[in-house]
Amino acid sequence: MAAAGDVQRREAAERYAQQVASLSLLPQDKDNTEPDATTAVTAKFITPRDPVIETANGGRLPAVPLYEAEKLNQLKEEAESHSSGSGENSSQSTTKQALKRCTSIDDHSTHAGAPLRAAVPSPKTHPLFPQLPLYGPPTQLRNLQSLGFQICSSVLSIAFLGTIVLGSIFTSIPPLIRYIYHRITFRDPDERRPFNEEEKRRNKARKDSIRAWKRQRRHRGGPLGKAQYDDNYEATEGGVDPLICDVGYYARRVGVDIEEFKVQTEDGFVIDLWHVYNPSEYRETSAAHRDVGGPTVFPKGFEEYNTTRSHQDPPGRQKYPVLLIHGLLQSAGAYCTNDDDSLAFYLAKSGYDVWLGNNRCGFNPQHQLLNYNDPRMWNWNIRQMGVMDLPALVSRVLSETGFGKLGLVCHSQGTTETFVALAKEQRPELGDRISVFCALAPAVYAGPLIGKMYFKFMRIISPGMFRLMFGIHAFIPFMMTMHRWLPGSLYGVMGYRVFSFLFGWTDTRWDRGLRNRMFQFAPVYVSSESMRWWLGRECFASQKCILATREENRQEEEDESDEADMEDYYDNSETHPSEERRDQKSKGRFAWYDHHVPPFALWVAGNDALVDGRRLLRRFERGREPHVRVVHQKIIDEYEHLDVIWAMDMIEKVGREVKEVIWKTAPLEARKICRVPKGCEDVDRYWAHEEEGI
């Protein structure tokens, strides 16, 4: 019996060691029985479907398939039970069930030692969020395979990018001809632009400001003085715009400043969080305070944590926190490119405590344990951004400010990760920390642009071909190389032309004098896996929705058609309350959200070919989401996808309403201790009539 027990213990330890070796940071020495600091120890489940690997030193490794995480924990439990000499039968039974479930999935998709070209997720997973590939620890062979992928994808992706550049140049020829024709006929080529006169006025004002800055620096050597639109803010930068990727520089041009916090996600990524502040009111915190903390989000008692920030505002003068999240291929600097008409600076000067959140990798990819060349560094998509990045950013902002909730403003992909995170199958409790979710150009349903030839090409190629062409690391990293090498003005022109060609944007409503600045904060590093989620054959491009399959979308469209046919009947007949309740229950049977969901406010660009915001509004209007309360909605017919953050009249059509909606939905306790934002003195709380019992 003792010998049999020893055999069982050895077998259990060997099985656990094999699984540990496939999930650790570095290859494990078979002769060394003592685990090192980077050895995988256990799998922690952030959500029931989102495990991460915890190493012996407390580090985190991302993107482990669900069945591999379960297998690790079951084998660990078996090894420990054998070691203690108890629970052998039950542990063996449980482990066999787990191993049976794991081996029922194609071996080539999970084996960590398999060639990288075979490390593909199983097709037998959720159609919207399939399991990610499993890349094991780096070995000499794996490093050579990874290098081969990088070389091959570099050549093919640069060829693809070159095709896009040529296409953008070709489509730029007709506008160039029209421009030349207007010039030689002594006509204004911009006469049809809707803000032509205002653009000229702003351009003249910028030139006057540059001359004034030069005179000031030449005669006194001091700062320019007051910012352009607000006498309470003193600009400390000025002169000719050097077109640099530095959000702090552009903040100082309008009299505010930026401090950068480092935030660690629960799967080990280190992401940037920028805090906008008024130097005359706020003292920048120490670098040590802003450094990376632990991976835990919303720790117990975090709301009562007395931070340096909470002591800087006198009672009754605190600012309500607002977090802004950027769109695809952008950074949060996109909110800071229009001087005082930038949404971030406008909200900050209105009286909010503004924080700018950046998603993983961005301009400087960082991870607690992984390096750039490790494919595990890039093994993530929109699901991880929503489930990991967004909670980490929200938690850090609330910890720094001492509030229990914040206002969340997102654009494009930022709305996608939020809609995903708040879903009842993902991380719905996050909604309890958000007072209102302001979605600008909400990206939930695909627009007609997804049918363009180049997007269709990405959709029809196989996952293996997609990885061969775009790699298993960063998506077309040559774009970032061009960003570093090219002068800002040339890069700005090329960036606009390429992205305009790809996504159908125009600068019709932008301040063209600032256009080159706008593209200094894009693109950023994103993973090829995330772009495959957007454009590949399995997920968004195929399903046309982020949270519903193609079949569910078709059923919803049929239901809408039936409801439209029955509207006259319901309008002209009396309906019993029980029938209304049954109808609401029927409509909500495929609801994405539960009671945790915060209020929504939506600004839809009516001329947006990239996403279909109107369809999302119809979903809410039709009662498909019984728990969602839409406190504000607006369709701006003439706006395109980026106009909601860059249009010259964005402040009038979007910014002021965002400012009022955030204050209108702020918690009553916060309104009592916070300063009232400028222009919101007469804005009542949204639920005031309910609280009064009316």
Side-chain angles (χ1 to χ4, degrees):
M1 292 294 292
D6 291 339
V7 172
Q8 289 179 342
R9 280 194 291 273
R10 283 197 302 271
E11 291 178 348
E14 288 175 0
R15 287 194 294 268
Y16 177 57
Q18 290 174 356
Q19 185 67 1
V20 163
S22 70
L23 299 176
S24 294
L25 175 65
L26 300 172
Q28 301 299 296
D29 186 353
K30 295 181 179 180
D31 298 328
N32 185 10
T33 58
E34 293 296 325
D36 62 25
T38 62
T39 300
V41 174
T42 187
K44 288 189 174 293
F45 285 80
I46 307 305
T47 76
R49 294 179 57 199
D50 292 284
V52 297
I53 297 300
E54 186 171 65
T55 61
N57 64 354
R60 299 287 180 91
L61 291 172
V64 55
L66 181 63
Y67 36 82
E68 296 290 343
E70 291 176 342
K71 183 178 176 181
L72 176 66
N73 285 352
Q74 295 290 352
L75 291 172
K76 179 183 181 183
E77 180 183 342
E78 179 187 10
E80 290 176 346
S81 64
H82 277 298
S83 177
S84 63
S86 62
E88 296 177 5
N89 293 333
S90 61
S91 177
Q92 288 177 351
S93 176
T94 304
T95 302
K96 287 178 180 179
Q97 293 176 7
L99 296 179
K100 184 177 180 181
R101 181 168 63 253
C102 297
T103 55
S104 67
I105 303 172
D106 297 338
D107 289 339
H108 76 279
S109 68
T110 63
H111 189 263
L116 289 183
R117 59 182 172 81
V120 297
S122 168
K124 304 172 186 176
T125 54
H126 195 286
L128 292 168
F129 303 105
Q131 292 282 357
L132 294 168
L134 174 62
Y135 302 115
T139 61
Q140 199 167 31
L141 176 60
R142 174 133 301 185
N143 289 339
L144 288 174
Q145 293 174 334
S146 179
L147 179 61
F149 261 100
Q150 287 181 296
I151 294 173
C152 182
S153 63
S154 294
V155 174
L156 294 177
S157 64
I158 290 175
F160 176 82
L161 180 62
T163 303
I164 297 299
V165 171
L166 289 176
S168 67
I169 293 173
F170 180 78
T171 56
S172 299
I173 294 176
L176 178 61
I177 293 175
R178 285 195 298 269
Y179 178 85
I180 295 174
Y181 173 76
H182 279 81
R183 283 298 184 189
I184 63 178
T185 56
F186 303 101
R187 295 163 58 191
D188 184 359
D190 298 325
E191 61 185 359
R192 294 188 178 182
R193 289 176 63 83
F195 301 107
N196 188 28
E197 294 302 321
E198 177 64 15
E199 281 187 274
K200 292 178 180 178
R201 188 195 67 79
R202 292 189 184 186
N203 188 47
K204 182 179 182 301
R206 282 193 292 270
K207 290 180 179 178
D208 292 342
S209 178
I210 291 172
R211 285 192 291 268
W213 175 268
K214 290 180 178 179
R215 287 195 302 270
Q216 189 83 359
R217 300 291 289 179
R218 184 168 56 249
H219 296 304
R220 299 183 183 178
L224 172 64
K226 302 302 179 182
Q228 183 176 356
Y229 300 117
D230 198 318
D231 290 340
N232 295 323
Y233 294 87
E234 185 176 275
T236 55
E237 297 281 4
V240 177
D241 185 355
L243 295 176
I244 56 177
C245 183
D246 182 357
V247 68
Y249 169 80
Y250 292 108
R252 291 187 291 274
R253 285 179 72 100
V254 296
V256 295
D257 210 338
I258 299 287
E259 59 177 350
E260 181 177 272
F261 288 74
K262 296 293 184 180
V263 179
Q264 183 177 335
T265 67
E266 291 166 289
D267 56 349
F269 283 88
V270 178
I271 56 181
D272 295 332
L273 174 65
W274 299 331
H275 179 216
V276 183
Y277 67 91
N278 182 356
S280 66
E281 295 183 347
Y282 175 83
R283 184 180 66 257
E284 185 178 8
T285 55
S286 66
H289 178 81
R290 302 194 307 269
D291 204 358
V292 178
T296 303
V297 301
F298 305 118
K300 185 177 180 181
F302 80 97
E303 295 176 23
E304 293 75 31
Y305 178 57
N306 292 321
T307 63
T308 305
R309 174 74 188 92
S310 63
H311 291 294
Q312 295 199 33
D313 290 321
R317 295 293 294 168
Q318 292 184 346
K319 298 180 179 180
Y320 189 65
V322 178
L323 174 64
L324 279 64
I325 305 293
H326 59 82
L328 177 64
L329 293 171
Q330 290 184 317
S331 73
Y335 290 110
C336 305
T337 59
N338 283 19
D339 292 328
D340 277 303
D341 290 309
S342 306
L343 184 59
F345 301 151
Y346 172 75
L347 292 176
K349 291 189 175 185
S350 294
Y352 286 110
D353 192 11
V354 175
W355 300 74
L356 304 171
N358 293 277
N359 284 311
R360 56 186 59 197
C361 292
F363 288 114
N364 183 25
Q366 297 179 72
H367 189 275
Q368 183 189 20
L369 299 175
L370 302 174
N371 60 46
Y372 179 94
N373 291 316
D374 194 321
R376 291 174 292 182
M377 176 83 170
W378 304 97
N379 199 19
W380 48 268
N381 59 34
I382 194 70
R383 179 185 175 87
Q384 285 69 41
M385 294 164 69
V387 172
M388 308 286 184
D389 293 8
L390 186 59
L393 291 168
V394 172
S395 175
R396 185 62 182 267
V397 172
L398 295 181
S399 295
E400 292 295 326
T401 60
F403 284 86
K405 293 188 177 186
L406 53 72
L408 180 63
V409 182
C410 302
H411 172 246
S412 189
Q413 180 187 257
T415 70
T416 304
E417 64 184 89
T418 304
F419 282 119
V420 168
L422 295 175
K424 57 188 178 184
E425 294 88 0
Q426 311 298 332
R427 206 156 187 177
E429 68 278 3
L430 179 64
D432 297 331
R433 301 300 177 188
I434 300 170
S435 58
V436 67
F437 168 35
C438 297
L440 313 181
V444 173
Y445 292 100
L449 195 69
I450 203 71
K452 288 284 188 179
M453 177 188 64
Y454 36 85
F455 291 141
K456 190 175 293 184
F457 166 76
M458 291 183 168
R459 191 162 69 249
I460 63 175
I461 62 177
S462 67
M465 181 59 69
F466 193 101
R467 290 189 174 91
L468 188 66
M469 187 165 189
F470 298 106
I472 56 176
H473 296 80
F475 181 76
I476 316 185
F478 184 68
M479 294 188 295
M480 299 301 298
T481 303
M482 294 174 63
H483 197 177
R484 290 191 297 269
W485 287 357
L486 294 180
S489 56
L490 177 58
Y491 182 81
V493 171
M494 289 187 60
Y496 168 72
R497 292 299 176 191
V498 169
F499 285 103
S500 176
F501 174 75
L502 279 174
F503 300 112
W505 305 329
T506 68
D507 63 359
T508 302
R509 309 187 71 83
W510 307 351
D511 186 344
R512 189 175 284 177
L514 298 177
R515 192 183 69 188
N516 289 343
R517 181 192 298 180
M518 296 170 180
F519 286 90
Q520 299 309 307
F521 297 98
V524 296
Y525 285 106
V526 298
S527 71
S528 292
E529 198 66 41
S530 68
M531 294 304 293
R532 194 174 73 86
W533 185 91
W534 279 110
L535 303 173
R537 63 164 54 176
E538 299 103 329
C539 303
F540 180 74
S542 176
Q543 307 295 343
K544 304 293 193 298
C545 182
I546 65 170
L547 288 170
T549 63
R550 191 163 31 190
E551 291 71 22
E552 291 169 341
N553 286 330
R554 189 179 299 115
Q555 180 63 48
E556 184 176 320
E557 290 174 354
E558 292 174 358
D559 290 348
E560 286 184 3
S561 178
D562 294 340
E563 290 165 9
D565 293 338
M566 295 296 292
E567 279 183 357
D568 290 339
Y569 170 78
Y570 284 114
D571 289 341
N572 298 304
S573 63
E574 295 183 1
T575 306
H576 193 274
S578 62
E579 295 180 5
E580 293 182 355
R581 287 193 294 270
R582 282 198 300 271
D583 183 55
Q584 291 175 355
K585 185 176 181 180
S586 174
K587 289 181 179 180
R589 68 186 185 277
F590 296 124
W592 301 335
Y593 304 105
D594 61 15
H595 63 281
H596 292 286
V597 67
F600 287 176
L602 304 105
W603 286 262
V604 171
N607 196 23
D608 190 345
L610 187 58
V611 297
D612 188 353
R614 285 187 170 93
R615 186 171 178 184
L616 179 63
L617 294 181
R618 288 200 303 272
R619 178 179 180 84
F620 296 144
E621 291 167 355
R622 297 280 183 177
R624 304 289 179 192
E625 296 294 338
H627 293 286
V628 171
R629 176 177 287 188
V630 178
V631 297
H632 183 90
Q633 66 179 48
K634 182 178 184 179
I635 299 175
I636 311 174
D637 291 327
E638 66 275 18
Y639 267 26
E640 298 175 349
H641 191 70
L642 278 171
D643 290 345
V644 291
I645 60 172
W646 285 350
M648 292 184 67
D649 59 348
M650 180 274 298
I651 296 298
E652 290 74 25
K653 294 195 172 182
V654 178
R656 289 176 183 170
E657 295 174 5
V658 169
K659 175 184 68 176
E660 293 176 1
V661 166
I662 294 172
W663 187 243
K664 187 180 295 186
T665 54
L668 183 61
E669 298 78 10
R671 288 172 63 104
K672 291 179 179 178
I673 64 174
C674 289
R675 66 182 73 181
V676 178
K678 295 178 182 178
C680 293
E681 292 79 6
D682 298 325
V683 175
D684 293 328
R685 191 162 184 265
Y686 186 82
W687 296 276
H689 64 286
E690 298 179 8
E691 294 166 349
E692 294 170 0
I694 299 177

